[in-house]
Amino acid sequence: MSQLAFFLGAEIGLLEAPLHPGTPVGLAFWLLLALGAAVQGVIRLRGRTVLARWGFPALLAAGLLGCDIACQCITGWDLLLPLLAYFALLWLLAGGFLVNLFHFLRNILLKRV
């Protein structure tokens, strides 16, 4: 029986990574979150168009879809690689969205003041 990659990762404990920063998976979570935020921050500084601002998250979302499709097709121990790639892309995407949320809220506050 196949499941979505998100639920498979929850079963093996990948969603608990932020709660355990001393473990290798927890360290990987925080590093990938920071890397995603840094890349998106540089892109937002350089690019002024909507495509430049949302291109990185769109590519990560496409990678998430590809990993989820791979998790539907692959069985056994071979499932581990697309599952880990799924969560790495998810954490990068979360970092990118945090930067976009920060800029969105900053623009709203600066316009009102």
Side-chain angles (χ1 to χ4, degrees), residues 5-67:
F6 185 81
F7 296 119
L8 288 172
E11 284 181 12
I12 63 172
L14 289 176
L15 289 179
E16 297 175 7
L19 303 176
H20 307 289
T23 63
V25 176
L27 182 63
F29 167 79
W30 291 109
L31 288 175
L32 286 170
L33 188 75
L35 179 66
V39 168
Q40 185 64 27
V42 169
I43 289 171
R44 285 196 65 94
L45 286 176
R46 300 283 182 192
R48 300 289 179 202
T49 65
V50 174
L51 180 63
R53 291 179 180 169
W54 290 99
F56 180 62
L59 286 174
L60 292 174
L64 283 175
L65 181 63
C67 288

